[in-house]
Amino acid sequence: MILKNNLSKVLFITLISSFFLACSLTKRVPNNERLLMSNEIFVNDQAESKETLTSQLYQKPNSNILGYRLRLHLYNMAKVNPDSSYQAWLDRHPKNERFLTHLLSAKQVDRLGTSFFVSGLGRTLKDLGEAPIIYNQERTNRSLIRLKNHFFNQGYFNTKVSYQADSLQSKKINITYNVQTGKPYVYDSIAVTVHSPELDSLYKTNRRQSLLKKNDQYNATKLDEERERITSFFRNNGAYDFQKTYINYEIDTLKNTHKADIYLNIDNKNIKEGDSLRTEPFKLYKISEVNIFTSNTSENVQTITDSVQYKNINIYSKGKLNYKPKVLNNAVFIAKDGYFSDMRRLITSRSLSNLKVFNYPTIEYIPDTRDSLGKSLIANITLNPKARAVLYPSIDVTHSNIQDFGIEGSLGYAFNNVFKGAEVLDISIRGNIGSSSTKYRNNKNTFFDILEYGADIKLTIPRFLFFSNKIDRLVDRTSFPNTTLSAGFFNQQNIGLDKQNLTGIYNYSWSHKRRNTISIDVLNLQFVRNMNPDNYFKVYRSSYNKLNSIALVTNTNPDYLDENGNLTIAEGGADAFMHDVLNGNTNISTNSNEYQSIRSISERKQRLTENNLIMASNIVYTYSTRFNMNDQDFFTVRTKIESAGNILNAIARSNKKYNDNDKLTVLDVAYSQYIKGEIDLVKYFDFGNKNVLALRAFGGIAIPYGNSDNIPFSRSYFAGGSNDNRAWQSYRLGPGRSGAVNDFNEANMKLAFNAEYRFNVAGPWNMAVFADAGNIWNALDNVTDEEMTFKGFKSLQDIALGTGFGVRYDFNFFVIRLDAGFKTYNPANEPNRKWFKEWNLSKTVLNVGINYPF
């Protein structure tokens, strides 16, 4: 049977391969033309394939995936003129044409030639495919010039370039470029001439910061960076009308010693008067006046009716001023009597945008005509307020591991500037109705058996609230501090174990030098109330099945069983049986495996059905070199430390109230006490042409102590799913090598490692190959099962490996992806079945996701 299955796979692969290989690469190459197969570049007799070099070539071969030119094959498979073939078919079959004309019309028969049924497949193949790259001599010559210029700009002034064409194969050609750079030129003397006296004095204060050093190799890019540096320095110190174009270089290489003398000239300002042009020295400008213009959205007023002066800033309003002057002043970094500065303008713009109550602000500088020296500017800042109240409804279709289909919606209002301090108050309600999967369905007659609803309120304040004096000493205004106060309520009526969730958060956040973001939850409060704990075994069927299998071979009290001999749930038979076993009222001994299993089931039931009270504090630090969303070469590190239960522990010890499990309580609820740490690393490598390698490593552990011997379900870790190990479904991996024996498997420690290579196929279509490794374990808690617990380095052999591939469609503003994961190494299997035994289509795990997984 195994031989038969393997033989069928081999035959299938052979047929597919034969089909594609049968399509000639040169099928669409005209006679007397050649398909460009490859470009090779040799620099000083050494092969080079850097993107900086290959991008200099005007012609590149057709794209390939691991050496296979898929897009060219797709293009070759398309019919050249499908509409003409259709017309020829009609001419050969006049009866068919008359029949179609009678059935439709002559006009519609003509249109069939351009329809999807006739030419749609051909158009699709052409759109997905890629036309053959026909070798062009002129473009090769232009590539030689670009290569020579590329090395010239790096100081190789005597570079020699040539090429060789290998056209031995029919209709194919390979091009080899040869570059001999010679010896590079280096900087000898560097002379600077600044014609404007004020700029000359300013330049001398910063000359040591120059990027140009004697004996450095000539580099045109470095010369341009020096121009940018000088321009930025001047414009941040008063040179309002200075531009980069006023800086130019003269290069002297007449010594013939491979040394170049650099003459850097900074010219005076050009002023056009009619048809003539004159020059005059640059001036350094100071700010004589800072004006802010705004309006009141609740009043229909077109003229300035209100004004106030606050700390050297003039604030004007159309209608009554609706903002506290201090708030506006704190967001402005343009200082009266200070020098003009581009940096201060940028920071001011970002700071005002960070208030989130204005549309993008405009900042304009105009000369102050009152200054006889002509060295003063007036800064005018125009703020266009957002609407006082903004409605933001949303609706979405959802799917999860317990919900086959769901409709989720929310309705929110954002109230801007509620207390005249640029505060934003968000109030929203949300809900979800859904249909649970067959595994969890209780009522077979009701399609929508899941109901979830809740409400949230959040107040965002663009400054630190409380303790502001102490914190302001550590965090300056350029970090854009925010305080967030939020509260929420959520009710779940889904698969039987219904919950009510109450949350409250008091948070500080700020950014330091753009790349560093810090978020502190001073208080993170969560109360979870389980509404239907008696329904536990209807939800967690794996626990019930294991318990029931033990009861069938034990002297179980008949009152605990139904007419089929199974433990009852609603009548409490399952709970009563566990109680009897743990109290020695059955023939199960305390040192047996069955007793340990039942104790584990009882502890898990207690943990997942008890109410949770969590009062935590945490700090999250994120460092990222990513400049924007299009940046595909960056590094990000995110760390988090959280501590819970210490304040509640102090309160509980003064009251000393205990529950049945001998745990201290607050408001009759046992509170959680733990410390948690996480680190998340992401690194992207951009190889050009939309080829990106993305790597991720994550580690986290939550350690219970004091009043807790386990971690609440809401703060634990799970493995699997579209953003984790894609070869396993969510909650279906781990803990350890236990084989996901529970319905929702989670633990208090996690390791995850991901690698994904992404490449473009055609237009918005992209693909990826990936490898996901990781697992979850129980560590330093009350779980003692060796298959689930982390035992040091030897437990690293429990790390599961999933591999696969994915297809992605890029809508520019978001990406839809479909990933297929295969269990490559499954630690839960027997030793001889861990590797590749589940690497087949029948056990593929499909994941649908929005945007990239990391």
Side-chain angles (χ1 to χ4, degrees), residues 465-481:
L465 187 66
F466 310 125
F467 318 111
S468 58
N469 292 332
K470 294 182 179 179
I471 299 177
D472 285 341
R473 297 172 188 170
L474 303 175
V475 181
D476 59 34
R477 292 184 294 139
T478 61
S479 298
F480 310 135

Side-chain angles (χ1 to χ4, degrees), residues 300-495:
N300 187 19
V301 179
Q302 302 302 318
T303 58
I304 301 296
T305 60
D306 194 5
S307 64
V308 65
Q309 186 178 40
Y310 183 86
K311 291 187 176 181
N312 295 323
I313 291 181
N314 304 313
I315 304 174
Y316 301 95
S317 177
K318 295 177 181 179
K320 186 178 180 181
L321 180 62
N322 205 29
Y323 302 93
K324 294 178 181 177
K326 181 180 179 180
V327 173
L328 299 180
N329 176 76
N330 288 342
V332 174
F333 296 85
I334 301 170
K336 182 180 179 181
D337 298 328
Y339 282 106
F340 163 83
S341 170
D342 263 343
M343 182 180 65
R344 287 182 174 272
R345 173 168 57 179
L346 176 62
I347 295 176
T348 298
S349 178
R350 290 180 56 205
S351 180
L352 290 169
S353 298
N354 187 65
L355 295 179
K356 298 183 176 61
V357 295
F358 301 111
N359 294 310
Y360 194 79
T362 59
I363 302 175
E364 180 186 20
Y365 293 89
I366 60 174
D368 189 347
T369 56
R370 298 169 296 182
D371 183 3
S372 59
L373 299 177
K375 299 173 63 174
S376 297
L377 297 173
I378 297 174
N380 291 327
I381 304 171
T382 303
L383 304 177
N384 297 308
K386 293 181 180 179
R388 189 66 186 271
V390 180
L391 175 69
Y392 52 95
S394 70
I395 189 168
D396 197 8
V397 177
T398 60
H399 171 79
S400 68
N401 57 321
I402 66 170
Q403 183 175 254
D404 282 341
F405 174 78
I407 301 175
E408 183 179 75
S410 66
L411 184 64
Y413 256 107
F415 298 93
N416 295 313
N417 197 40
V418 286
F419 303 119
K420 297 187 177 182
E423 304 88 355
V424 179
L425 178 65
D426 291 287
I427 301 176
S428 64
I429 56 174
R430 52 195 168 102
N432 173 63
I433 56 172
S435 175
S436 63
S437 61
T438 305
K439 179 179 179 181
Y440 302 108
R441 180 169 289 276
N442 295 318
N443 188 345
K444 303 292 184 180
N445 299 320
T446 304
F447 180 74
F448 288 112
D449 59 342
I450 292 178
L451 174 62
E452 301 174 343
Y453 57 89
D456 299 282
I457 183 171
K458 181 176 72 172
L459 177 65
T460 303
I461 306 168
R463 58 191 174 277
F464 290 133
L465 187 66
F466 310 125
F467 318 111
S468 58
N469 292 332
K470 294 182 179 179
I471 299 177
D472 285 341
R473 297 172 188 170
L474 303 175
V475 181
D476 59 34
R477 292 184 294 139
T478 61
S479 298
F480 310 135
N482 280 296
T483 302
T484 302
L485 303 173
S486 63
F489 169 78
F490 196 61
N491 188 84
Q492 294 176 306
Q493 298 175 16
N494 43 35
I495 57 176

Side-chain angles (χ1 to χ4, degrees), residues 245-286:
T245 53
Y246 289 106
I247 305 175
N248 58 77
Y249 294 98
E250 293 180 18
I251 313 296
D252 184 359
T253 60
L254 295 178
K255 296 178 181 179
N256 291 325
T257 58
H258 289 93
K259 290 186 177 182
D261 294 328
I262 306 297
Y263 298 95
L264 189 156
N265 299 303
I266 303 178
D267 295 328
N268 282 331
K269 178 171 61 174
N270 294 323
I271 299 176
K272 189 174 183 180
E273 294 180 346
D275 295 331
S276 61
L277 193 68
R278 68 177 180 87
T279 64
E280 70 175 33
F282 283 98
K283 302 173 183 177
L284 299 183
Y285 289 82
K286 283 190 173 183

Side-chain angles (χ1 to χ4, degrees), residues 4-15:
K4 182 178 179 180
N5 288 338
N6 289 337
L7 181 61
S8 63
K9 292 178 182 178
V10 171
L11 289 174
F12 175 75
I13 294 173
T14 302
L15 288 173

